[in-house]
Structure formats: structure tokens, C-alpha cells
Amino acid sequence: MRTVIIMLGAAAAALALGSCATMSEDQCLAGAWGEVGLKDGRAGYAPGRLQSHAEACAKVGVVPDEAIYFAAREQGLRSYCIPANGFQVGRNGSTYEGVCPASVEAPFLEAYRDGQVLGAAERAVSDAASRVSSYASRAEELDGKIDAKRRECRDQNLTQAERERACDRVGELRDEREGTIGEWRRAQEDLRWAERELQDVRWRLGALYGV
């Protein structure tokens, strides 16, 4: 039994590693380290990304060509480390891993932080709108339940006890609906505030980034 448990644990670990691998076996065997480096540079990955590739490729006995990889990665970083891209990286909520050369990092970071401001404002609107929709759906669902319990409350085919329970439930559902409507109204106010904030951010950044 102990041997079986150990084997199962090893298999699970191997599966977990495989699911997190940065490259497939076919990609490792292709050996296109220039393409890999260029792609990683354009994506803004830190130098440690190559170590992850090396671990993924070790299972097929492939060792990365560091010189080719890093030369291509530097080329990819040239398109990553520009303000326009920095703005999009920040807007999307992606993490900056400090990969840009000092000579171009300052304008990149300024745009990145502007993008973070816009992204946060956009997500606030989306979250508020989602809550408005969720509470509205819940209120509609409660309306249907209240109507059903009202019918049960008047249904002479049910026992007196069953009708009384249905009538009591109507009151409970009404209370829940009232609370839901209160949350819906608060979410609407949050949405209006978030939309005003987003409009202000877009007004401030529009001339710089065309948003």
C-alpha cells in the first residue's frame, strides 16, 4: 500500500509539473530558441523565464541555447518597453517585471501607471454593473417565489398548516426582496459614481493615449 501511495504521489507531481510547463515537448525538440526569446521579450518576461523553459525541456533532454534566446529576447523587449505598450500592460492589470532598460523605463512606467488608473476605473464600472444585474435578477427571482407562495396560501387543496406556512413564507420572501432592492439601489449609485470616475479618467488620458 505504501508503494502504491508513493507511486500515485509521484504521478500527481509529474502531472502538476506538466500542466505548468512553459513549453511542450514538440516545442523543445524544435529548438527555435530565437522565436521563443523574441516572444518572451515581447511579453515582458523576466530572464528567469529561460530557467522555466529549461526545466520543461529537460524531460526530453533538450538544453536551451542561451545566447540565441537572450539576443532575441532583447529584440522583443524593444517592442515591449514602449509607452503605448506600457499603457496597455497597466490597463490590462498585468504585472511589470522590471525588464526594461533604464534608458527607456521611465516613460514606460509613467504610461504603465496611467494604464493602471484607467484599468481600475474600467473594472470598477464592470463590477458595479455586474452587481446591479445580479441584484435585479435576484429580485425578479424572488417575485416569482412570492407569487408561487401566494397561490399556495390560497390553495384550498392544501391543509390549513400548509397554507399557513406558505403565508409565513410570503412575508419572509418580501423581507428578502426589500433587502435585495436596497442592495440594487446602492449598486446603481456605485455604478453612477464609477461611470463618472471613468469618464474623468478618460478625459484626462484621452489626449495622451487616444482612449
Side-chain angles (χ1 to χ4, degrees):
M1 177 64 72
R2 179 178 175 81
T3 301
V4 171
I5 292 174
I6 292 173
M7 291 176 64
L8 289 174
L15 180 60
L17 287 173
S19 64
C20 296
T22 57
M23 293 178 63
S24 67
E25 291 187 5
D26 288 343
Q27 289 172 324
C28 291
L29 293 171
W33 295 107
E35 293 179 10
V36 175
L38 184 65
K39 180 180 177 182
D40 286 354
R42 287 174 175 168
Y45 283 116
R49 179 76 169 179
L50 182 60
Q51 178 60 33
S52 299
H53 294 329
E55 292 171 1
C57 293
K59 60 183 177 290
V60 289
V62 173
V63 178
D65 188 318
E66 293 188 18
I68 293 177
Y69 174 86
F70 281 116
R73 176 179 171 275
E74 288 301 316
Q75 183 181 351
L77 285 175
R78 291 178 196 145
S79 61
Y80 176 84
C81 297
I82 59 175
N85 185 62
F87 180 77
Q88 292 302 325
V89 171
R91 184 181 186 178
N92 295 337
S94 300
T95 300
Y96 170 57
E97 299 190 18
V99 296
C100 295
S103 59
V104 297
E105 188 173 51
F108 174 90
L109 281 175
E110 183 178 358
Y112 174 76
R113 292 177 185 124
D114 285 342
Q116 285 182 310
V117 172
L118 177 59
E122 289 174 332
R123 286 187 288 275
V125 169
S126 178
D127 290 345
S130 178
R131 286 189 288 114
V132 168
S133 177
S134 177
Y135 287 126
S137 295
R138 179 56 179 162
E140 185 176 353
E141 179 184 352
L142 288 169
D143 284 339
K145 290 183 177 182
I146 289 170
D147 288 343
K149 287 302 177 182
R150 280 175 174 167
R151 289 192 294 271
E152 289 181 19
C153 189
R154 298 188 299 266
D155 191 346
Q156 295 303 313
N157 293 320
L158 299 177
T159 65
Q160 180 66 26
E162 288 173 333
R163 291 197 300 273
E164 288 177 357
R165 283 197 296 272
C167 292
D168 290 341
R169 184 58 179 151
V170 168
E172 294 172 355
L173 290 169
R174 281 176 173 172
D175 290 342
E176 184 178 350
R177 185 186 185 280
E178 183 178 351
T180 299
I181 292 299
E183 294 295 338
W184 173 72
R185 287 173 178 155
R186 282 187 284 274
Q188 283 190 314
E189 182 58 32
D190 289 344
L191 177 58
R192 285 190 288 270
W193 182 87
E195 287 174 336
R196 288 195 296 269
E197 285 292 305
L198 177 58
Q199 184 178 13
D200 180 62
V201 170
R202 283 178 171 163
W203 180 82
R204 289 189 288 110
L205 300 178
L208 292 173
Y209 305 103
V211 294

